[in-house]
Amino acid sequence: MASATIEQPSWLAERRRRAAELTEQLALPTYKGRPGWEFTDLSGLDLAAFAPAPLGEAAAAERAEALFTGLERPIVVTQVDATTVALEGELPDGVVVTTLERAAVEHPALVERHLGTIVAGEDPFVARNEAGFAGGLFVHVPRGVAVPRPIAVTVVQDADRTALNWRSLIVLEEDARAEVWEQYLSGDPARETLLNTVVELIVGEGATLRFVNGQLLSERSWIFGTQRAEVARDGSLDWVALGFGSARGKVRMETMLAGPGADGRVTGAYASQRRQHVDFDTTQEHAAPHTTSDLAFRGVLQGRAHAVWRGNIIVDPGAQQTDAFQESRNLLLSRRAHADAIPGLEIQANDVRCTHAAAIAQIDADQLYYLRSRGLREEVAKRLVIEGFLAELVERFEEGPVREVLAGALERRLGVILGT
C-alpha cells in the first residue's frame, strides 16, 4: 500500500495555491439562479461538513460493490480515499499509467503541458479539485502506440462524512489507441460522502480512445463531475457514462471536436430509485468542418427518483459539413418518478445536419398486455419491456467484451431497482 501523498513540484504547488484562493472567491451555483443549475438544488450542501479524505485501506476495495466486472486481464489502478492501493500490469514501451501526483514528479513536462488545458479553472468545483486532489490518474500513450489491454481504474470512498477530489488526465498522442474504464464506488452503502471529479481527455490526431466512466456511490452521497474531451483531426472518442448511485449532484460532460474529421460518440445510462436525483449536462461542440457526433442517453426511474438531462449541440462558425445527433429517452416505472429532458442547438454554420430527440413515458400498457397474454407473469413482462428499452444502448457497441460488461452492469442495476 502506498500513500498518494508525495512531495509535489513547485509549479504544481503554485497552481494549488492559486486554486485555493479561487475557492474562497467563487460561490457555489445558486439554485435556479445560474444557467444549467435550474434543477439541482445545492441549498442542502454543507461543504464544511465533509472533511478531506484520509488515507484509506485496501480492504475497502475488496468489499465495495463493483460496477464493472469481467474485464479481461486489465491494467489495474485502485485508490481508496486518499491512498493508492494498487498499480498493476505490464505496459507497452513508453506508456505511462500512474497517479497524477506521482506523474507530476516523474513526468513534469508532460503533466504541466496538459493539466488544466481543456477544463476552465475559474469554476468553484474545478478550483476545489485542483487545490485538493489526491492521488488521481495520469495516462499517457505516445505516438503510434496501442495499449492492448483495458486500463481499469477503481476509486472507493470509504471514510464517512469525507470529501474526495479525484482527477484524471488521459492523453493520447497521434495515432495512439487505448481503453480506460473508471468506476466510483462506496466502501459501504451507509457512507455519506462527497466526490468531486475532474476528467480531461486529450485525443490526438488519428488517435482512438474509449473511455467508460460510471458511479455506484451510496445513495447518501453527493457527486459533482466536470469532464471534458478534446478530439483532434481524424481522432475518435467513444465515451460511456453510467450514473447508478448517489443521492444528488450534477455531472457535466463536454466533447470538443477540434479538428477536421474528428468523431465523438457518447452513450449514457442511469437507473435510479427512491429519492435519487441525477443531473447530466452534455455538450457536443463542433469547432472544425467535417466532424461528427452521436449522443444517446437512456434512463429508467423508479420510486420518486428525478433525472435531468440537458444536451446542447454547438456548431461554431466555419464548422461546415457537421453531422450531429443527440437523444434522451426516459422510462418512468412509477407515477411519482420524474424526468426532464432538454435538448438544445446553437448553430453558426449553414451547411450542417443537426438533429435531436427527447421522450419521457410510462411503460406501454399494450406491450405489457401482449406479453402477459402469452403467459408471462407481470414482473417478468415488465422486466422484458425495460430490457428492450435499454437494449438499443448496448447494441451501440460491437459484440464482445465491452458489450458484455456494459450489459452485465445494466442487468445488475435493473435487478436492484426492480427488487428481483
Side-chain angles (χ1 to χ4, degrees):
M1 182 185 302
S3 169
T5 304
I6 60 176
E7 187 173 351
Q8 58 191 345
S10 59
W11 63 266
L12 181 56
E14 175 60 20
R15 288 184 59 152
R16 287 183 180 274
R17 185 193 64 79
R18 293 197 305 267
E21 290 179 353
L22 270 178
T23 63
E24 301 298 324
Q25 303 167 16
L26 299 173
L28 293 180
T30 303
Y31 182 47
K32 297 186 178 180
R34 179 171 168 179
W37 290 87
E38 294 89 342
F39 298 92
T40 298
D41 185 2
L42 302 186
S43 62
L45 174 61
D46 180 9
L47 290 174
F50 296 90
L55 299 182
E57 297 183 357
E62 298 296 328
R63 65 173 180 269
E65 180 184 354
L67 179 56
F68 304 128
T69 61
L71 292 174
E72 296 182 358
R73 301 176 56 246
I75 298 159
V76 174
V77 180
T78 304
Q79 180 168 320
V80 177
D81 293 326
T83 298
T84 303
V85 300
L87 284 169
E88 305 169 356
E90 294 183 6
L91 299 170
D93 290 344
V95 174
V96 178
V97 178
T98 187
T99 72
L100 185 55
E101 285 192 306
R102 184 165 296 283
V105 175
E106 298 178 351
H107 307 277
L110 281 176
V111 178
E112 189 173 11
R113 185 192 316 161
H114 296 292
L115 185 65
T117 56
I118 63 172
V119 170
E122 293 194 2
D123 173 275
F125 293 103
V126 176
R128 281 172 170 78
N129 182 282
E130 182 148 311
F133 74 80
L137 173 71
F138 178 70
V139 174
H140 180 263
V141 185
R143 177 179 179 177
V145 175
V147 182
R149 294 186 288 152
I151 300 167
V153 183
T154 299
V155 182
V156 180
Q157 285 190 274
D158 190 47
D160 200 29
R161 303 290 292 176
T162 62
L164 175 64
N165 291 292
W166 169 263
R167 188 149 189 157
S168 297
L169 174 59
I170 300 171
V171 182
L172 272 61
E173 304 289 358
E174 182 180 353
D175 294 324
R177 298 176 66 90
E179 182 176 304
V180 181
W181 295 67
E182 188 171 280
Q183 60 180 345
Y184 309 140
L185 312 174
S186 291
D188 187 289
R191 299 289 189 260
E192 183 175 356
T193 59
L194 185 149
L195 181 65
N196 179 26
T197 78
V198 172
V199 173
E200 295 178 276
L201 309 175
I202 301 174
V203 183
E205 292 189 6
T208 300
L209 172 65
R210 172 174 283 145
F211 179 68
V212 185
N213 180 269
Q215 63 92 357
L216 189 58
L217 296 171
S218 81
E219 293 181 21
R220 302 183 63 197
S221 297
W222 291 84
I223 183 170
F224 297 98
T226 306
Q227 305 176 345
R228 194 166 192 271
E230 187 169 297
V231 186
R233 176 188 292 268
D234 296 325
S236 176
L237 171 67
D238 187 0
W239 189 350
V240 183
L242 302 183
F244 292 168
S246 76
R248 188 171 292 271
K250 183 180 181 71
V251 176
R252 297 169 287 175
M253 302 171 59
E254 301 179 6
T255 305
M256 162 78 83
L257 301 163
D263 174 69
R265 183 179 176 88
V266 181
T267 305
Y270 43 83
S272 303
Q273 62 181 344
R274 291 188 278 264
R275 292 178 176 268
Q276 284 184 277
H277 173 95
V278 296
D279 186 340
F280 283 95
D281 194 328
T282 68
T283 301
Q284 303 148 257
E285 181 173 357
H286 294 256
H290 303 284
T291 53
T292 57
S293 68
D294 177 4
L295 180 145
F297 264 68
R298 294 209 170 192
V300 176
L301 304 174
Q302 178 72 287
R304 300 183 67 174
H306 180 204
V308 181
W309 171 81
R310 178 197 299 270
N312 200 18
I313 294 174
I314 301 173
V315 181
D316 294 344
Q320 306 292 1
Q321 295 290 303
T322 283
D323 188 344
F325 174 74
Q326 63 176 351
E327 72 163 358
S328 170
R329 301 187 184 279
N330 295 271
L331 190 61
L332 308 183
L333 307 185
S334 70
R335 295 293 181 183
R336 290 191 168 188
H338 181 77
D340 294 286
I342 310 162
L345 302 174
E346 297 180 30
I347 301 174
Q348 302 179 66
N350 59 12
D351 184 10
V352 303
R353 182 172 67 176
C354 297
T355 54
H356 60 71
I360 301 168
Q362 303 276 344
I363 288 182
D364 191 317
D366 290 338
Q367 289 181 325
L368 280 181
Y369 177 80
Y370 175 84
L371 292 171
R372 294 195 68 192
S373 70
R374 267 47 183 184
L376 296 179
R377 299 192 312 275
E378 181 176 0
E379 60 270 22
V380 175
K382 187 175 182 180
R383 176 148 186 161
L384 284 175
V385 172
I386 299 168
E387 289 177 346
F389 172 76
L390 294 174
E392 290 185 24
L393 280 187
V394 177
E395 291 167 2
R396 286 167 64 88
F397 304 93
E398 68 277 9
E399 290 188 9
V402 174
R403 182 188 283 196
E404 292 171 4
V405 173
L406 292 174
L410 286 168
E411 183 178 356
R412 289 190 297 275
R413 183 58 182 171
L414 282 183
V416 171
I417 67 172
L418 295 177
T420 59

